[in-house]
Structures are given as structure tokens and as C-alpha cells.
Amino acid sequence: MKGGGGGGGVGPAKRRWRFLAVGVLFLVVLSMLVPLGFLLGLHNGFHSAGFVPRPHTTTSGDRSNHVDNLVRKLGPTLPKDILKHYVNEAKNETSSANATRKSQKKKGTPVPPQVVLQPLGKRNISGDGGKAGMKGGIDEGLRLCELQYGSYCIWHEENREDMKDSMVKKLKDQLFVARAYYPSVAKIPAQNALTRDLRQNIQELERILSESTTDADLPPEIQKKSERMEATIAKSKSVTTDCHNVDKKLRQIFDLTEDEANFHMKQSAFLYQLAVQTMPKSQHCLSMRLTVEYFRDDSFDQELPVKYSDPTLQHYVIFSTNVIASTVVINSTVMHARDSMNQVFHVLTNGQNYYAMKHWFLGNTFKDAIVEVLNIDPFIPDFYDKTTPSHLNLPTEFRVSFHGINNASAMHSRTQYISIFSHSHYLLPEIFKNLEKVVVLDDDVVVQQDLSTLWSLNMGQKVMGAIQICSVRLGQVRSYLGESNFHKNSCTWMSGLNVIDLARWRKLGISETYWKLVKEQVSKKEGSAALASLLTFQDLIYALDNDWVLSGLGHDYELSTQSIKKAAVLHYNGNMKPWLELGIPKYKVYWRKFLNPENQFLNECNVNP
């Protein structure tokens, strides 16, 4: 009975303790859910979606913006004063770099040939097919890029493709942040699991990015990997770490990334210059095919020596090694001539291209005009010293950059592209001994009007008629002219279209003066021998009306259609020649229409005008 009575009394007490234990357990679980919910809210509040860079050239001007975005990701960890100091230091470094550039560009700075910068003014670059370029105003980053890399930056903006690697860029930014946190987290003994997760995620992203350059190359499960990395980064941000270590590692990674970007920028600019200075495969094919055909069939090889040296006719001289370029010059001149019967064209080339040129012009007709092809190699005198080149030289192009008198800011730097005579031009009096007057055309020009009025031009006591560029005066390039005497306010001049009085040239000994200046500058190691032409023709230039020639079609995107149609001659001076893939698309149409797309050789070599 006692056992039974005692058992009946204990049962309700046990049930009461059981309910109490369940209640305590519920409170414990609830107390755990509250901080868990707080952590989830913190995670959602500071969740990083990844930084997708704008499709813009990486320059020093973008550095502070990029750092700002990265700093926002580090917000939960780094104190505000440290972030402010880091951003300000990055801006100060950019300002100091700009100041250095300003001090280096106080004077006119001609750079090596075939390097071009945009002219002063705002740009709105847009190519065919609706490619977007710069939007409003002058971009300081692009301006500084052009000062360093020339017209490569213009071409890069013009030919930019739509971004197809946004996910790749996001993964790279995640990897960037994870690498910055890893060293600090790894030093905390209690965070071994987090350290292991960080290391695994970093190694996984490194492997994926080593095999992928665009989003199409990424594996199907990349979204999950990205989310896993995001979660790991969020955990790292919630861990108390040494801000100095994170800041130091972030700086190191950023410097390495910037060095890598500069390397690729220089490599791209080099490849751009290589593409500019290398003959395209199609044109090389054309030259080889024409050379072979010349030796196969010379039945129509005939000479007209009487007309070639008749001083009563209109003689045009072209220095060129490019078959299709010289063809466009001759064809455009003949097509707009009132009377092509009196026109004689002399194409001066080297021995390598002589037979190709000869076969091409003997096999093509240009109305009633005649064409003579000359190999310039035998005309190069052998009595000059070693400073004289023993090969054909084409007109030399220089980009001159300088600041305004009242404003030394790099944002307002002025640039001008000038083209001047080469060494070969000073052989003209010897090559054409029976002629008294010639018109020299560069092979990168297109003629749009009749040029016959140039032969009745009265130049007085001047030797050459040319377009003068008074925005660049000799005084602004004095450091490149040596110690020679010159008038600092004299305007520079351009090749492209030049009317030359050979009789007065011989009388004044222009060639002898030029070679004397070249030897002096070479012996004294001062100035630039290539700019000796500016001193040789000082006070001997007859200024042609500016409507005769419009320059800049090889580097200036802002030329209006009205000014192009108005000009008698279009000059494609600059790197972006119309026969290159790099040429400015909207200007190519004025050049292409003077080539025959049905020509057999052009089709066989895939020269598509």
C-alpha cells in the first residue's frame, strides 16, 4: 500500500519538473535565435554584391574611385579615420603624379615619329555601329593617357567592345578582398575554420580565373561558388582584426594590380604602334604578286621620256612605298582635273617596291595622265658622310604637346600634329634637273578639287608654298632646334601639299643648307636632325590658303563634314591611316571611293576598299 501510495504521489511532481525543463529549453533556444537573427541582419546589411568596373581605360585618375569602392566593402572592419586617411593619401598620390607631369611638359615636346595625340578640344568619340565613346566634357584620365601613350588611347576608346566579363570582374574583386583579409584572419587561433574556408575559396577562384577570361568560360556552378565566397568574406568582416594589417595587405595587392595594369597598357600601346608601322598582310601580298607578274610579262613596258622631263607640263611628285596609297593620290587628282592631258606623276619608291609599282601603273590608266615610277636608290649620293641615310625616307611626322601661357594644367594641354620633309625630299633638284616647278603630294592625301591653279601661283621670292601652322611656332620647339639662329615667332609648316620652285631652290642652295644643319646638329648632339627642315625653309615659305588642305584625318575625330567637303585636299596625317584597320571609320569613305573594287589583284590579295 505504501509503495502504491508513494508511487501515486511522485508522478505529478515528475510531470511538473518535465514541463519546467521544456520551458527552460525553449528559452535557451529563443535566446540563441535572437543573436542569430542579428547576425543575419548584419550579413544582409553589409552584403557585397561585387564591384563591376566601368568599361573605361584604367588610369591614375580612376585610382581614388576604385579605392573608394573597395573601402566601402571594408567598412564594417576599418575605422572611419583610417579610411579617410587612406582615400586622401591615394588622392594625394594622384595629385603628385599630375604635378610631375605638369613640370615635365612645360615646353613643346616633339615625340618620335608615328606617335599622335588628339588636338585641343572636347571629344565625343563614336564609331560605326553605334559604339559609345566618351560622354560630354574632357576626361582627365583619357587626356593623361594620351599624353603618355599617344593615339592608342583614342583608338582604344573608339574600338571598345561591349563588356562580356562582368562576372569575371566580380570574382576578381572578391578575390581581391579575400586576399586582403586572409593574413589577418589566419593569425587568430580561434578562427582556424574560417581561415581554412578562406584559403579554399581563394584557391578555387584562382583556379577558375586562370582558365577564364570571359563569362562564357566560367563553369555552370560559378554562381554558387561566388555566393560561398561572399558568405566567407562576410564572416571575415565580422571578425575583430588588426586594421593596420588589412590596410597594409590591401595596399600591397593594389600596387601589384596597378603595376600589372600599367604593364598591359604599355604592351597594348606597343602592339598598336607595331600594327601602325607594319605593312598589312594583304598589301604585302599585293606587292609580291605584282613583282612576280612584272617579270612574267613585260610586253607593255613602255617609257615616255619626253613627257617625263617636259617643263611645260604639270609635274606631281609622290614619295611612297605603298601601291594602293599612291594609286588613290593619283586617281583622285586625275578625277578632279579639268585637263588631265598635261599631268605627269612621278612616283619615287625604293628598290624593294620598284617592280611592283612599275607593273601596277603600267597596267592601269588614269585618263590622259601618265605615271613614271622611279627607283630612288641610284639617286642617293654617296659623297655625304655616314649621317646621310642610304634608303628612301618618307615624310616625318611629329606630335607636339605644350601648355598654354596662362594655364599649365594637363587638362588644357595643347597638341598639334605636324608633318615635315624627310632627307629624300632634298634630292629633288638632282632627280628632276630639267624641271623648274613641281607639286609634292604625300601618299596619305586625297584630292577633291582641281589643282591646276597652283601652277599659276606667284610665290615671289619664296621657295615653297605650304600650309602654315601658327598654333605651333619655332619658339615653342626651340629646345629641339639646337642653338641655331631662328625667329621664335615664325610659324611651322606642313607637308602634304607643297608647291616647290626648283629653280630658286637650286639658286639658294636649299639642299646644301639642309645637310649643313643636319651635320651640325648631329655633331653637337643637340636638337633633332629631323626638324632641320623647319630651319632650312625659315622665311622661305609662301603661305597657302587654309582651304587648300584639311589635316588631321588620321587622328582627329572632330572634323566636321562641311569642312571636309570644302577642302581641296584631305590629309590623313597621324597614325590612323585609311588603309589600316586602325583608320577612323567615318573618314575612310573619302579614301576608299578612289580604289577599284573589281581589280583582279585587289581581290586575290583580299584588299577590300
Side-chain angles (χ1 to χ4, degrees):
M1 295 296 293
K2 290 182 180 179
V10 173
K14 289 184 177 181
R15 282 196 295 272
R16 285 195 298 272
W17 280 107
R18 186 181 299 113
F19 285 124
L20 183 61
V22 171
V24 172
L25 181 62
F26 175 77
L27 292 176
V28 171
V29 172
L30 183 63
S31 64
M32 294 176 64
L33 290 177
V34 172
L36 181 61
F38 175 77
L39 291 176
L40 290 176
L42 184 66
H43 170 265
N44 293 331
F46 295 105
H47 180 75
S48 174
F51 173 69
V52 181
R54 295 177 301 157
H56 191 279
T57 307
T58 302
T59 61
S60 60
D62 298 328
R63 177 172 182 174
S64 59
N65 294 332
H66 192 73
V67 171
D68 287 341
N69 284 277
L70 293 174
V71 163
R72 292 191 191 101
K73 296 181 180 182
L74 304 178
T77 302
L78 300 180
K80 293 183 179 179
D81 55 343
I82 293 181
L83 301 180
K84 184 176 180 181
H85 170 74
Y86 180 66
V87 174
N88 289 338
E89 183 174 345
K91 293 182 178 179
N92 291 336
E93 291 177 3
T94 304
S95 302
S96 63
N98 292 340
T100 303
R101 293 188 183 96
K102 293 176 185 178
S103 63
Q104 293 175 347
K105 297 192 175 287
K106 291 290 183 180
K107 300 180 180 180
T109 309
V111 297
Q114 302 301 332
V115 179
V116 120
L117 270 189
Q118 66 177 11
L120 178 66
K122 296 183 179 180
R123 267 186 205 288
N124 187 6
I125 302 175
S126 59
D128 294 345
K131 292 181 180 179
M134 295 175 57
K135 298 180 179 179
I138 302 177
D139 191 285
E140 183 178 5
L142 180 59
R143 172 72 67 178
L144 297 176
C145 174
E146 289 183 62
L147 289 174
Q148 185 173 2
Y149 297 109
S151 62
Y152 161 74
C153 301
I154 307 176
W155 176 85
H156 183 264
E157 288 294 329
E158 170 68 16
N159 294 273
R160 182 179 295 281
E161 297 181 356
D162 295 335
M163 185 173 64
K164 300 178 181 179
D165 57 350
S166 58
M167 188 62 180
V168 171
K169 293 182 181 296
K170 177 181 177 180
L171 296 176
K172 288 182 178 179
D173 280 331
Q174 289 179 341
L175 188 61
F176 191 103
V177 177
R179 285 172 173 170
Y181 273 103
Y182 178 76
S184 298
V185 175
K187 293 179 180 180
I188 304 176
Q191 300 295 333
N192 291 333
L194 179 59
T195 301
R196 184 170 57 255
D197 291 343
L198 263 178
R199 182 172 62 253
Q200 291 176 351
N201 282 283
I202 290 174
Q203 292 175 349
E204 183 69 16
L205 287 191
E206 286 178 342
R207 183 187 63 79
I208 293 174
L209 292 176
S210 67
E211 303 172 352
S212 307
T213 56
T214 62
D215 293 352
D217 301 330
L218 296 172
E221 65 278 5
I222 190 60
Q223 187 63 38
K224 294 182 179 179
K225 295 181 183 295
S226 176
E227 292 174 357
R228 188 157 54 245
M229 173 62 91
E230 286 287 352
T232 306
I233 292 176
K235 291 179 182 179
S236 301
K237 292 178 180 179
S238 64
V239 175
T240 303
T241 58
D242 188 348
C243 295
H244 175 72
N245 292 336
V246 177
D247 176 70
K248 182 179 180 180
K249 186 62 178 178
L250 188 63
R251 288 173 183 270
Q252 292 175 352
I253 298 176
F254 187 86
D255 289 340
L256 290 175
T257 305
E258 187 176 37
D259 291 341
E260 184 179 1
N262 290 334
F263 168 77
H264 288 297
M265 192 70 172
K266 292 178 180 178
Q267 186 181 50
S268 299
F270 169 76
L271 294 176
Y272 169 82
Q273 292 295 333
L274 185 63
V276 167
Q277 300 177 18
T278 303
M279 178 182 291
K281 181 179 178 181
S282 58
Q283 295 184 32
H284 179 72
C285 166
L286 178 63
S287 179
M288 294 298 100
R289 288 278 288 107
L290 292 173
T291 302
V292 172
E293 290 299 324
Y294 175 83
F295 288 103
R296 282 183 178 176
D297 181 16
D298 59 353
S299 59
F300 54 85
D301 190 354
Q302 54 183 346
E303 299 289 340
L304 300 172
V306 177
K307 279 196 171 184
Y308 291 161
S309 58
D310 187 351
T312 63
L313 301 179
Q314 300 175 5
H315 294 266
Y316 297 87
V317 178
I318 303 170
F319 291 86
S320 180
T321 58
N322 191 321
V323 175
I324 59 174
S326 53
T327 300
V328 169
V329 178
I330 296 175
N331 200 21
S332 62
T333 305
V334 171
M335 293 292 291
H336 293 94
R338 296 191 185 99
D339 182 13
S340 61
M341 181 73 71
N342 296 325
Q343 292 182 326
V344 181
F345 293 88
H346 306 272
V347 180
L348 303 184
T349 187
N350 54 16
Q352 180 181 353
N353 296 278
Y354 172 70
Y355 297 106
M357 288 274 197
K358 198 168 186 64
H359 184 79
W360 175 266
F361 287 111
L362 288 173
N364 292 275
T365 58
F366 302 90
K367 289 190 175 181
D368 297 323
I370 61 174
V371 181
E372 178 190 24
V373 179
L374 290 174
N375 180 7
I376 199 174
D377 292 345
F379 293 96
I380 296 177
D382 55 1
F383 51 83
Y384 289 124
D385 59 17
K386 61 182 179 180
T387 61
T388 306
S390 58
H391 54 82
L392 172 67
N393 290 97
L394 301 180
T396 307
E397 294 183 340
F398 286 87
R399 174 177 57 87
V400 181
S401 301
F402 51 92
H403 299 295
I405 298 176
N406 298 324
N407 195 330
S409 172
M411 286 284 291
H412 297 86
S413 62
R414 300 167 55 193
T415 62
Q416 183 65 53
Y417 213 99
I418 62 174
S419 178
I420 58 178
F421 282 174
S422 68
H423 298 313
S424 299
H425 286 72
Y426 294 90
L427 302 175
L428 288 175
E430 296 296 326
I431 297 175
F432 304 104
K433 295 181 179 180
N434 296 328
L435 302 182
E436 297 182 353
K437 191 174 186 179
V438 296
V439 172
V440 179
L441 299 172
D442 288 357
D443 66 354
D444 58 352
V445 304
V446 171
V447 178
Q448 298 190 123
Q449 297 179 17
D450 179 48
L451 301 181
S452 59
T453 55
L454 293 175
W455 300 96
S456 59
L457 193 66
N458 182 11
M459 298 191 298
Q461 300 300 312
K462 305 298 183 181
V463 176
M464 180 172 65
I467 298 296
Q468 287 192 326
I469 307 296
C470 290
S471 59
V472 180
R473 299 182 183 272
L474 295 183
Q476 293 170 313
V477 292
R478 59 184 178 273
S479 60
Y480 296 87
L481 297 176
E483 298 298 329
S484 303
N485 294 325
F486 59 87
H487 305 299
K488 64 178 182 179
N489 291 325
S490 297
C491 300
T492 57
W493 51 272
M494 289 279 290
S495 69
L497 172 67
N498 302 100
V499 185
I500 297 179
D501 185 345
L502 289 179
R504 186 157 182 79
W505 181 307
R506 298 186 187 97
K507 181 179 179 180
L508 297 179
I510 297 297
S511 297
E512 290 73 12
T513 302
Y514 172 76
W515 289 115
K516 180 181 178 181
L517 289 172
V518 169
K519 293 175 184 178
E520 288 179 354
Q521 293 185 346
V522 170
S523 62
K524 296 180 180 179
K525 297 182 180 180
E526 63 179 16
S528 173
L531 294 177
S533 290
L534 297 178
L535 297 178
T536 302
F537 286 98
Q538 187 178 202
D539 300 327
L540 297 175
I541 295 295
Y542 177 85
L544 298 177
D545 191 280
N546 288 333
D547 290 338
W548 274 108
V549 181
L550 177 65
S551 300
L553 279 80
H555 68 97
D556 189 352
Y557 284 83
E558 291 188 337
L559 301 177
S560 65
T561 304
Q562 182 179 0
S563 61
I564 292 176
K565 293 180 178 180
K566 181 182 178 182
V569 176
L570 303 179
H571 191 189
Y572 288 81
N573 62 317
N575 279 350
M576 304 177 189
K577 302 298 184 185
W579 55 83
L580 298 176
E581 290 294 331
L582 303 175
I584 301 177
K586 64 180 180 180
Y587 299 150
K588 285 185 177 182
V589 62
Y590 303 103
W591 185 86
R592 288 174 174 170
K593 63 182 179 181
F594 294 106
L595 281 179
N596 179 14
E598 304 300 327
N599 184 274
Q600 174 187 353
F601 293 108
L602 296 183
N603 289 328
E604 290 178 354
C605 290
N606 197 28
V607 180
N608 300 315

